Structures are given as structure tokens and as C-alpha cells.
Amino acid sequence: MGPYHPECPDRLHAIGDRLISAGLDAYLHHYSAPAATGQQIARVHGTDYIATIEAESPSSGLHFLDPDTAMNAHSLTAARHAAGAVVLATDLVMRKECRTAFCAVRPPGHHAERNRAMGFCLFNNVAVGAAHALAVHGIRRAAIVDFDVHHGNGTEDIFSRDSRVLMVSTFQHPLYPYSGLDNPAAHMVNIPLAAGAGSAEFRDAVREHWMPALERHRPEIIYISAGFDAHREDPLAGLKLTEADYAWVTRELVAVAAKHAHGRVISTLEGGYGLSALGRSVAEHVRELIAT
Ligand SMILES: [Zn+2]
């Protein structure tokens, strides 16, 4: 996104460092993300949109797709691999080579709509993964859980007319992208939280809104749009979650997956811009993903 931008390469270094220092790295299997194919991306994005992104990819310097979202010469390749990570994770989990997966990817994806780049996002990584599970692995019901502090408008746009995919989320409102209040279908369960809300309000929303929806939907696979920018130390927003909240919600989702989805949970990084808080939060999230 350019120099001095919070969506920066150091985010992934902070995560990697913390997984090592927390003693978790030794328990993980690392995979390199392949590039998603055009066919895989076209399941959730229009072919005209994909062609536009490809045409606007600069050979040097920065090209702004919107005021928040820039590309450099490497962004298109990175975006293809970020989406491909969730495809590979889906294949690994469906083949039972892994029970759960965490995709440490940039750029993030959940603001990317079917035909629009937004909010540092080019392709909607979690949507590409879920669409792959539906198209290739015979999954009939999937869930996407989004606890990023920003509403996942792209994911809502892509799946609001596909009731095979339940979306449950919490997000700070009002805050970018100022959407999420409409809940355009019964399978879109997006819960706004006011600035200053913390553990109690978040856990109440999960218990009162997410869990009943997940129980009704009985997803055969659970995806997590794992943004950690609702952490109290995050510089971009005003919720007050802590590492303990991320551990708690991950345990809750792992339990739902054990009941309905053969334990299948695939988490993919979205936001999270306080580097220390991001590393600590991902470590607790991953600790719960590999706990059982
Ligand atoms: Zn975010």
C-alpha cells in the first residue's frame, strides 16, 4: 500500500516471530501458497473485474485503485497467492492432511466485492476458498465467521444471494466501510458493536447471534476471516478485545466444527495493525486451532 502504511510486510514478520517465541512453530506444518487460478478467482469475481485488475497492475511505482487501495508491481502476484493459500488450505483440510489451517496472507480480502477492490483488498481470499469447497469438494453448507473490526462488505456482497454460505460477523459501527447494518438475507448475521465495546459485548454477540445461526446452518466447513484489529491496542479502530477473547472465540468455533464439520476450520488473516498485539493474538488463535 506504499511506505509507512499500516498494512505492511512487518505484519507477517510479527506473526512469524511470535509463533516461534510462543513455542508453537514446532507444532505447525508450513506450506507455500500456490497462485489461485483464474478459474478459482472467477468463481467469486467478475471476469471483467479480474481483467481490469490485471490491466491496471503497474510495472513500477504505485497505482491507486481507490483512495485506500494501491497496487505495486508485485501486488497482483501476492493477491493471487493469498487467494491460493485458502484454496490449498481447503484441499489439505478436505483431504484430511490437516485438520485446521491458518493462512498468513497479505493482501487481506474481505473488503473486495465481486466487482470492486476496496480497503487494501484485491481478491476476496476467504470467498475464493469457500467457493472452491462448494464447487470441488461437494460441500453443501459453509460458514464464514468474520471478527475483523471492519465489516466484511465484500464477503457479504459475494454470498448474500447464496444461502449455502452463512456469514456471521461482528464489527465496529460506525467505522469504515460503514456497511453491515442491512443484513440482506437470513444467512447474513452481521452484528455492529459501538466504539469502546470489549470482551463482554463481543462474547454476548457471539453467544446470542452467531451460535444460534451456526447451529441452524450446521456448516460442513468453517472459514474464519481473522482480522485482529478489534484488539484494544490496534491503532485503526476502537474496540477493546484482548488475546483472551481471540482464544475464547476460536475455542467456540472449533467446538462447532467438531460437532458439525468434522473439525474443519480454515482461518485466513485479514486486518490487525498493532504489530505486537497482532503477533500475540494470532499466537493464541493458532494455539486453539491446533489444541485438539
Ligand atoms: Zn479490518
Side-chain angles (χ1 to χ4, degrees):
M1 294 300 125
Y4 312 109
H5 194 285
E7 208 294 273
C8 63
D10 282 344
R11 297 177 63 228
L12 296 185
H13 302 153
I15 290 170
D17 282 353
R18 189 68 193 187
L19 290 173
I20 293 168
S21 64
L24 294 166
D25 194 69
Y27 296 94
L28 306 177
H29 298 284
H30 290 267
Y31 296 85
S32 290
T37 65
Q39 181 194 23
Q40 290 163 350
I41 294 170
R43 292 188 184 118
V44 302
H45 292 290
T47 50
D48 288 352
Y49 170 74
I50 297 168
T52 300
I53 293 288
E54 290 170 348
E56 297 198 17
S57 177
S59 55
S60 65
L62 278 184
H63 173 70
F64 280 83
L65 298 165
D66 85 353
D68 294 305
T69 313
M71 300 178 79
N72 68 15
H74 308 288
S75 300
L76 176 60
T77 299
R80 286 179 174 144
H81 285 264
V86 193
V87 172
L88 174 62
T90 301
D91 289 339
L92 291 168
V93 166
M94 291 305 301
R95 293 199 301 251
K96 299 186 171 60
E97 291 179 43
C98 299
R99 193 177 45 79
T100 61
F102 177 72
C103 305
V105 297
R106 300 179 47 250
H110 74 152
H111 293 306
E113 298 184 346
R114 182 171 291 276
N115 293 310
R116 182 157 70 144
M118 271 180 68
F120 325 150
C121 303
L122 302 183
F123 298 137
N124 194 313
N125 307 317
V126 78
V128 171
H132 183 71
L134 295 168
V136 172
H137 291 290
I139 289 291
R140 294 161 298 176
R141 296 180 308 279
I144 297 176
V145 177
D146 188 330
F147 54 62
D148 190 279
V149 80
H150 304 97
H151 173 238
N153 60 290
T155 308
E156 181 180 271
D157 174 64
I158 288 165
F159 289 119
S160 62
R161 287 169 299 284
D162 186 345
S163 62
R164 294 176 299 174
V165 180
L166 169 71
M167 177 183 184
V168 300
S169 81
T170 49
F171 57 96
Q172 182 180 328
H173 186 83
L175 187 68
Y176 182 90
Y178 305 99
S179 54
L181 300 185
D182 303 339
N183 287 321
H187 64 284
M188 293 285 134
V189 182
N190 300 307
I191 309 300
L193 299 173
S199 176
E201 293 87 351
F202 173 68
R203 296 187 189 205
D204 283 349
V206 171
R207 290 191 195 97
E208 292 173 20
H209 299 282
W210 290 11
M211 287 303 160
L214 287 163
E215 284 298 325
R216 280 194 301 275
H217 192 67
R218 295 180 293 117
E220 298 170 313
I221 191 166
I222 295 178
Y223 290 86
I224 304 176
S225 262
F228 298 91
D229 40 11
H231 194 282
R232 64 169 57 240
E233 295 170 28
D234 196 273
L236 263 58
L239 297 189
K240 297 189 177 306
L241 301 192
T242 67
E243 298 92 295
D245 296 307
Y246 294 117
W248 174 81
V249 72
T250 308
R251 276 197 301 279
E252 295 287 316
L253 296 170
V254 165
V256 173
K259 186 174 176 184
H260 295 296
H262 304 281
R264 298 167 185 145
V265 181
I266 295 170
S267 176
T268 186
L269 183 67
E270 300 285 0
Y273 305 101
L275 294 181
S276 173
L278 174 63
R280 282 149 35 216
S281 299
V282 170
E284 294 313 302
H285 178 60
V286 167
R287 188 191 303 279
E288 297 298 336
L289 287 177
I290 64 174
T292 54

PDB file of all heavy atoms in Angstrom, residues 70-95:
ATOM      1  N   ALA A  70      -3.985   0.425  -3.086  1.00  0.00           N
ATOM      2  CA  ALA A  70      -2.962   0.623  -4.109  1.00  0.00           C
ATOM      3  C   ALA A  70      -2.381  -0.723  -4.533  1.00  0.00           C
ATOM      4  O   ALA A  70      -2.474  -1.718  -3.818  1.00  0.00           O
ATOM      5  CB  ALA A  70      -1.852   1.519  -3.576  1.00  0.00           C
ATOM      6  N   MET A  71      -1.793  -0.732  -5.713  1.00  0.00           N
ATOM      7  CA  MET A  71      -1.038  -1.881  -6.212  1.00  0.00           C
ATOM      8  C   MET A  71       0.372  -1.416  -6.539  1.00  0.00           C
ATOM      9  O   MET A  71       0.547  -0.330  -7.100  1.00  0.00           O
ATOM     10  CB  MET A  71      -1.643  -2.431  -7.509  1.00  0.00           C
ATOM     11  CG  MET A  71      -3.050  -2.916  -7.421  1.00  0.00           C
ATOM     12  SD  MET A  71      -3.627  -3.463  -9.067  1.00  0.00           S
ATOM     13  CE  MET A  71      -2.865  -5.093  -9.181  1.00  0.00           C
ATOM     14  N   ASN A  72       1.363  -2.271  -6.228  1.00  0.00           N
ATOM     15  CA  ASN A  72       2.676  -2.068  -6.813  1.00  0.00           C
ATOM     16  C   ASN A  72       2.921  -3.212  -7.802  1.00  0.00           C
ATOM     17  O   ASN A  72       1.996  -3.980  -8.097  1.00  0.00           O
ATOM     18  CB  ASN A  72       3.772  -1.935  -5.743  1.00  0.00           C
ATOM     19  CG  ASN A  72       4.034  -3.225  -4.989  1.00  0.00           C
ATOM     20  OD1 ASN A  72       3.623  -4.307  -5.421  1.00  0.00           O
ATOM     21  ND2 ASN A  72       4.705  -3.118  -3.859  1.00  0.00           N
ATOM     22  N   ALA A  73       4.149  -3.326  -8.278  1.00  0.00           N
ATOM     23  CA  ALA A  73       4.417  -4.308  -9.335  1.00  0.00           C
ATOM     24  C   ALA A  73       4.204  -5.742  -8.856  1.00  0.00           C
ATOM     25  O   ALA A  73       4.058  -6.653  -9.683  1.00  0.00           O
ATOM     26  CB  ALA A  73       5.844  -4.126  -9.843  1.00  0.00           C
ATOM     27  N   HIS A  74       4.205  -5.953  -7.547  1.00  0.00           N
ATOM     28  CA  HIS A  74       4.116  -7.316  -7.010  1.00  0.00           C
ATOM     29  C   HIS A  74       2.746  -7.630  -6.408  1.00  0.00           C
ATOM     30  O   HIS A  74       2.497  -8.756  -5.983  1.00  0.00           O
ATOM     31  CB  HIS A  74       5.191  -7.506  -5.938  1.00  0.00           C
ATOM     32  CG  HIS A  74       6.561  -7.129  -6.409  1.00  0.00           C
ATOM     33  ND1 HIS A  74       7.280  -7.895  -7.311  1.00  0.00           N
ATOM     34  CD2 HIS A  74       7.325  -6.041  -6.135  1.00  0.00           C
ATOM     35  CE1 HIS A  74       8.444  -7.296  -7.560  1.00  0.00           C
ATOM     36  NE2 HIS A  74       8.492  -6.168  -6.869  1.00  0.00           N
ATOM     37  N   SER A  75       1.856  -6.642  -6.338  1.00  0.00           N
ATOM     38  CA  SER A  75       0.601  -6.834  -5.614  1.00  0.00           C
ATOM     39  C   SER A  75      -0.288  -7.893  -6.258  1.00  0.00           C
ATOM     40  O   SER A  75      -0.921  -8.687  -5.551  1.00  0.00           O
ATOM     41  CB  SER A  75      -0.169  -5.511  -5.538  1.00  0.00           C
ATOM     42  OG  SER A  75       0.590  -4.536  -4.858  1.00  0.00           O
ATOM     43  N   LEU A  76      -0.350  -7.899  -7.587  1.00  0.00           N
ATOM     44  CA  LEU A  76      -1.224  -8.859  -8.258  1.00  0.00           C
ATOM     45  C   LEU A  76      -0.760 -10.286  -7.975  1.00  0.00           C
ATOM     46  O   LEU A  76      -1.582 -11.159  -7.657  1.00  0.00           O
ATOM     47  CB  LEU A  76      -1.252  -8.578  -9.761  1.00  0.00           C
ATOM     48  CG  LEU A  76      -2.057  -9.569 -10.607  1.00  0.00           C
ATOM     49  CD1 LEU A  76      -3.519  -9.588 -10.182  1.00  0.00           C
ATOM     50  CD2 LEU A  76      -1.934  -9.228 -12.094  1.00  0.00           C
ATOM     51  N   THR A  77       0.542 -10.502  -8.034  1.00  0.00           N
ATOM     52  CA  THR A  77       1.073 -11.831  -7.726  1.00  0.00           C
ATOM     53  C   THR A  77       0.763 -12.203  -6.276  1.00  0.00           C
ATOM     54  O   THR A  77       0.318 -13.327  -5.986  1.00  0.00           O
ATOM     55  CB  THR A  77       2.595 -11.857  -7.966  1.00  0.00           C
ATOM     56  OG1 THR A  77       2.833 -11.570  -9.338  1.00  0.00           O
ATOM     57  CG2 THR A  77       3.195 -13.207  -7.625  1.00  0.00           C
ATOM     58  N   ALA A  78       0.985 -11.259  -5.363  1.00  0.00           N
ATOM     59  CA  ALA A  78       0.694 -11.535  -3.953  1.00  0.00           C
ATOM     60  C   ALA A  78      -0.782 -11.857  -3.751  1.00  0.00           C
ATOM     61  O   ALA A  78      -1.130 -12.777  -3.002  1.00  0.00           O
ATOM     62  CB  ALA A  78       1.106 -10.336  -3.095  1.00  0.00           C
ATOM     63  N   ALA A  79      -1.650 -11.108  -4.410  1.00  0.00           N
ATOM     64  CA  ALA A  79      -3.090 -11.333  -4.250  1.00  0.00           C
ATOM     65  C   ALA A  79      -3.491 -12.707  -4.786  1.00  0.00           C
ATOM     66  O   ALA A  79      -4.329 -13.392  -4.184  1.00  0.00           O
ATOM     67  CB  ALA A  79      -3.868 -10.229  -4.965  1.00  0.00           C
ATOM     68  N   ARG A  80      -2.900 -13.114  -5.900  1.00  0.00           N
ATOM     69  CA  ARG A  80      -3.209 -14.454  -6.424  1.00  0.00           C
ATOM     70  C   ARG A  80      -2.772 -15.540  -5.447  1.00  0.00           C
ATOM     71  O   ARG A  80      -3.469 -16.536  -5.247  1.00  0.00           O
ATOM     72  CB  ARG A  80      -2.515 -14.656  -7.777  1.00  0.00           C
ATOM     73  CG  ARG A  80      -3.157 -13.897  -8.924  1.00  0.00           C
ATOM     74  CD  ARG A  80      -2.366 -14.144 -10.206  1.00  0.00           C
ATOM     75  NE  ARG A  80      -3.006 -13.549 -11.374  1.00  0.00           N
ATOM     76  CZ  ARG A  80      -2.347 -13.000 -12.383  1.00  0.00           C
ATOM     77  NH1 ARG A  80      -1.023 -12.951 -12.354  1.00  0.00           N
ATOM     78  NH2 ARG A  80      -2.989 -12.503 -13.406  1.00  0.00           N
ATOM     79  N   HIS A  81      -1.610 -15.347  -4.830  1.00  0.00           N
ATOM     80  CA  HIS A  81      -1.132 -16.358  -3.878  1.00  0.00           C
ATOM     81  C   HIS A  81      -1.917 -16.308  -2.567  1.00  0.00           C
ATOM     82  O   HIS A  81      -2.107 -17.342  -1.926  1.00  0.00           O
ATOM     83  CB  HIS A  81       0.370 -16.183  -3.638  1.00  0.00           C
ATOM     84  CG  HIS A  81       1.223 -16.664  -4.778  1.00  0.00           C
ATOM     85  ND1 HIS A  81       1.795 -17.917  -4.805  1.00  0.00           N
ATOM     86  CD2 HIS A  81       1.556 -16.074  -5.949  1.00  0.00           C
ATOM     87  CE1 HIS A  81       2.469 -18.071  -5.937  1.00  0.00           C
ATOM     88  NE2 HIS A  81       2.343 -16.963  -6.651  1.00  0.00           N
ATOM     89  N   ALA A  82      -2.356 -15.122  -2.162  1.00  0.00           N
ATOM     90  CA  ALA A  82      -3.171 -15.035  -0.934  1.00  0.00           C
ATOM     91  C   ALA A  82      -4.469 -15.814  -1.124  1.00  0.00           C
ATOM     92  O   ALA A  82      -4.888 -16.574  -0.243  1.00  0.00           O
ATOM     93  CB  ALA A  82      -3.463 -13.571  -0.602  1.00  0.00           C
ATOM     94  N   ALA A  83      -5.104 -15.654  -2.271  1.00  0.00           N
ATOM     95  CA  ALA A  83      -6.320 -16.434  -2.540  1.00  0.00           C
ATOM     96  C   ALA A  83      -5.984 -17.918  -2.680  1.00  0.00           C
ATOM     97  O   ALA A  83      -6.717 -18.788  -2.190  1.00  0.00           O
ATOM     98  CB  ALA A  83      -6.998 -15.909  -3.813  1.00  0.00           C
ATOM     99  N   GLY A  84      -4.843 -18.206  -3.312  1.00  0.00           N
ATOM    100  CA  GLY A  84      -4.436 -19.602  -3.487  1.00  0.00           C
ATOM    101  C   GLY A  84      -4.137 -20.287  -2.175  1.00  0.00           C
ATOM    102  O   GLY A  84      -4.303 -21.515  -2.052  1.00  0.00           O
ATOM    103  N   ALA A  85      -3.706 -19.529  -1.165  1.00  0.00           N
ATOM    104  CA  ALA A  85      -3.468 -20.121   0.149  1.00  0.00           C
ATOM    105  C   ALA A  85      -4.746 -20.731   0.705  1.00  0.00           C
ATOM    106  O   ALA A  85      -4.729 -21.829   1.282  1.00  0.00           O
ATOM    107  CB  ALA A  85      -2.929 -19.054   1.111  1.00  0.00           C
ATOM    108  N   VAL A  86      -5.851 -20.031   0.537  1.00  0.00           N
ATOM    109  CA  VAL A  86      -7.102 -20.532   1.101  1.00  0.00           C
ATOM    110  C   VAL A  86      -7.615 -21.724   0.281  1.00  0.00           C
ATOM    111  O   VAL A  86      -8.228 -22.636   0.819  1.00  0.00           O
ATOM    112  CB  VAL A  86      -8.147 -19.405   1.212  1.00  0.00           C
ATOM    113  CG1 VAL A  86      -9.309 -19.852   2.095  1.00  0.00           C
ATOM    114  CG2 VAL A  86      -7.527 -18.138   1.803  1.00  0.00           C
ATOM    115  N   VAL A  87      -7.320 -21.726  -1.015  1.00  0.00           N
ATOM    116  CA  VAL A  87      -7.646 -22.893  -1.842  1.00  0.00           C
ATOM    117  C   VAL A  87      -6.828 -24.103  -1.389  1.00  0.00           C
ATOM    118  O   VAL A  87      -7.364 -25.199  -1.180  1.00  0.00           O
ATOM    119  CB  VAL A  87      -7.395 -22.593  -3.334  1.00  0.00           C
ATOM    120  CG1 VAL A  87      -7.540 -23.861  -4.173  1.00  0.00           C
ATOM    121  CG2 VAL A  87      -8.346 -21.502  -3.830  1.00  0.00           C
ATOM    122  N   LEU A  88      -5.513 -23.914  -1.222  1.00  0.00           N
ATOM    123  CA  LEU A  88      -4.668 -25.027  -0.771  1.00  0.00           C
ATOM    124  C   LEU A  88      -5.120 -25.510   0.609  1.00  0.00           C
ATOM    125  O   LEU A  88      -5.209 -26.723   0.855  1.00  0.00           O
ATOM    126  CB  LEU A  88      -3.198 -24.601  -0.717  1.00  0.00           C
ATOM    127  CG  LEU A  88      -2.240 -25.641  -0.124  1.00  0.00           C
ATOM    128  CD1 LEU A  88      -2.218 -26.922  -0.954  1.00  0.00           C
ATOM    129  CD2 LEU A  88      -0.829 -25.068   0.019  1.00  0.00           C
ATOM    130  N   ALA A  89      -5.404 -24.578   1.523  1.00  0.00           N
ATOM    131  CA  ALA A  89      -5.860 -24.962   2.865  1.00  0.00           C
ATOM    132  C   ALA A  89      -7.137 -25.790   2.771  1.00  0.00           C
ATOM    133  O   ALA A  89      -7.301 -26.781   3.501  1.00  0.00           O
ATOM    134  CB  ALA A  89      -6.085 -23.709   3.710  1.00  0.00           C
ATOM    135  N   THR A  90      -8.028 -25.397   1.871  1.00  0.00           N
ATOM    136  CA  THR A  90      -9.269 -26.153   1.679  1.00  0.00           C
ATOM    137  C   THR A  90      -8.968 -27.571   1.212  1.00  0.00           C
ATOM    138  O   THR A  90      -9.518 -28.546   1.743  1.00  0.00           O
ATOM    139  CB  THR A  90     -10.163 -25.414   0.670  1.00  0.00           C
ATOM    140  OG1 THR A  90     -10.442 -24.102   1.173  1.00  0.00           O
ATOM    141  CG2 THR A  90     -11.466 -26.167   0.423  1.00  0.00           C
ATOM    142  N   ASP A  91      -8.086 -27.687   0.228  1.00  0.00           N
ATOM    143  CA  ASP A  91      -7.726 -29.023  -0.271  1.00  0.00           C
ATOM    144  C   ASP A  91      -7.090 -29.868   0.827  1.00  0.00           C
ATOM    145  O   ASP A  91      -7.408 -31.050   0.983  1.00  0.00           O
ATOM    146  CB  ASP A  91      -6.760 -28.901  -1.455  1.00  0.00           C
ATOM    147  CG  ASP A  91      -7.431 -28.369  -2.722  1.00  0.00           C
ATOM    148  OD1 ASP A  91      -8.678 -28.476  -2.829  1.00  0.00           O
ATOM    149  OD2 ASP A  91      -6.709 -27.846  -3.584  1.00  0.00           O
ATOM    150  N   LEU A  92      -6.171 -29.278   1.612  1.00  0.00           N
ATOM    151  CA  LEU A  92      -5.482 -30.027   2.669  1.00  0.00           C
ATOM    152  C   LEU A  92      -6.461 -30.507   3.729  1.00  0.00           C
ATOM    153  O   LEU A  92      -6.390 -31.653   4.186  1.00  0.00           O
ATOM    154  CB  LEU A  92      -4.405 -29.147   3.317  1.00  0.00           C
ATOM    155  CG  LEU A  92      -3.195 -28.822   2.445  1.00  0.00           C
ATOM    156  CD1 LEU A  92      -2.360 -27.720   3.101  1.00  0.00           C
ATOM    157  CD2 LEU A  92      -2.344 -30.066   2.227  1.00  0.00           C
ATOM    158  N   VAL A  93      -7.373 -29.628   4.114  1.00  0.00           N
ATOM    159  CA  VAL A  93      -8.328 -29.989   5.164  1.00  0.00           C
ATOM    160  C   VAL A  93      -9.341 -31.010   4.639  1.00  0.00           C
ATOM    161  O   VAL A  93      -9.676 -31.982   5.318  1.00  0.00           O
ATOM    162  CB  VAL A  93      -9.003 -28.717   5.717  1.00  0.00           C
ATOM    163  CG1 VAL A  93     -10.224 -29.052   6.559  1.00  0.00           C
ATOM    164  CG2 VAL A  93      -7.990 -27.914   6.534  1.00  0.00           C
ATOM    165  N   MET A  94      -9.793 -30.809   3.413  1.00  0.00           N
ATOM    166  CA  MET A  94     -10.777 -31.755   2.862  1.00  0.00           C
ATOM    167  C   MET A  94     -10.142 -33.127   2.614  1.00  0.00           C
ATOM    168  O   MET A  94     -10.826 -34.142   2.699  1.00  0.00           O
ATOM    169  CB  MET A  94     -11.379 -31.200   1.572  1.00  0.00           C
ATOM    170  CG  MET A  94     -12.273 -29.985   1.757  1.00  0.00           C
ATOM    171  SD  MET A  94     -13.629 -30.206   2.941  1.00  0.00           S
ATOM    172  CE  MET A  94     -14.518 -31.591   2.232  1.00  0.00           C
ATOM    173  N   ARG A  95      -8.845 -33.145   2.310  1.00  0.00           N
ATOM    174  CA  ARG A  95      -8.156 -34.431   2.119  1.00  0.00           C
ATOM    175  C   ARG A  95      -7.690 -35.038   3.431  1.00  0.00           C
ATOM    176  O   ARG A  95      -6.998 -36.053   3.432  1.00  0.00           O
ATOM    177  CB  ARG A  95      -6.955 -34.245   1.183  1.00  0.00           C
ATOM    178  CG  ARG A  95      -7.320 -33.891  -0.244  1.00  0.00           C
ATOM    179  CD  ARG A  95      -6.165 -34.169  -1.219  1.00  0.00           C
ATOM    180  NE  ARG A  95      -4.955 -33.435  -0.890  1.00  0.00           N
ATOM    181  CZ  ARG A  95      -4.465 -32.407  -1.609  1.00  0.00           C
ATOM    182  NH1 ARG A  95      -5.095 -32.013  -2.709  1.00  0.00           N
ATOM    183  NH2 ARG A  95      -3.366 -31.799  -1.245  1.00  0.00           N
TER     184      ARG A  95
END
